[in-house]
Amino acid sequence: MPSDGQAATITGRCYCGATTLAATAAPKIVTYCHCSDCKRWTGAPLPAFAGFADEDVTFAPARGPKLSVMPGVDRWFCRTCGSPLAARFEYLPGQIYLPLGLLDQADALPPQAHAHFGARTPWLHFDDDTAKDVGSARDRLNAGFGGDDG
């Protein structure tokens, strides 16, 4: 559910609990991503992410090491267990994406769209009525943050 500007507290943690996170506002957008990069990063056939304004999210003790395999994409991991923690995309300025499975409130944050639906895993079937962007959902994600098409 996109943020309507109301204060919210979103919390979460990595697999081992060594890294925790907190967001002072609700996510602006929640989305599935079918791209091969996100699948490999999370180890899941259908990763889902909550998108926040970068300044709304804090990590304790810190975000952990950053890895940039794809140009324009930065990803962070827990120093202790290696769990994926966060991702930033150059084409989505001011936004940070957290794997939905880390969030304590994930059950209340249903995805609103599918990004890279054209790259979906063929044995997964969908009967949801969410938007399905065949390629990048850049326009939709930026619009969710009140930005332009980028």
Side-chain angles (χ1 to χ4, degrees):
M1 75 183 74
S3 171
D4 59 5
Q6 292 182 323
T9 301
I10 303 291
T11 56
R13 69 175 183 86
C14 67
Y15 180 63
C16 73
T19 304
T20 60
L21 61 94
T24 57
K28 302 280 189 183
I29 193 160
V30 180
T31 185
Y32 295 109
C33 186
H34 297 271
C35 82
S36 62
D37 193 48
C38 286
K39 289 180 200 176
R40 287 200 188 278
W41 181 53
T42 62
L46 182 55
F49 301 96
F52 294 87
D54 194 37
E55 66 272 7
D56 290 342
V57 179
T58 57
F59 295 84
R63 221 180 337 228
K66 175 175 77 170
L67 181 63
S68 297
V69 174
M70 299 293 291
V73 179
D74 295 328
R75 298 184 187 270
W76 287 267
F77 301 84
C78 172
R79 292 182 197 284
T80 303
C81 67
S83 291
L85 295 175
R88 274 200 204 131
F89 305 88
E90 190 175 271
Y91 57 89
L92 299 171
Q95 303 173 37
I96 189 164
Y97 287 82
L98 309 179
L100 200 55
L102 299 181
L103 304 181
D104 297 325
Q105 297 77 17
D107 289 352
L109 300 170
Q112 304 149 282
H114 291 262
H116 296 279
F117 194 71
R120 68 190 175 277
T121 302
W123 44 262
L124 286 173
H125 302 281
F126 303 92
D127 64 359
D128 61 16
D129 59 0
T130 60
K132 293 172 179 68
D133 294 295
V134 173
S136 170
R138 172 186 317 205
D139 294 346
R140 183 180 314 284
L141 299 175
N142 276 321
F145 279 77
D148 57 22
D149 298 11

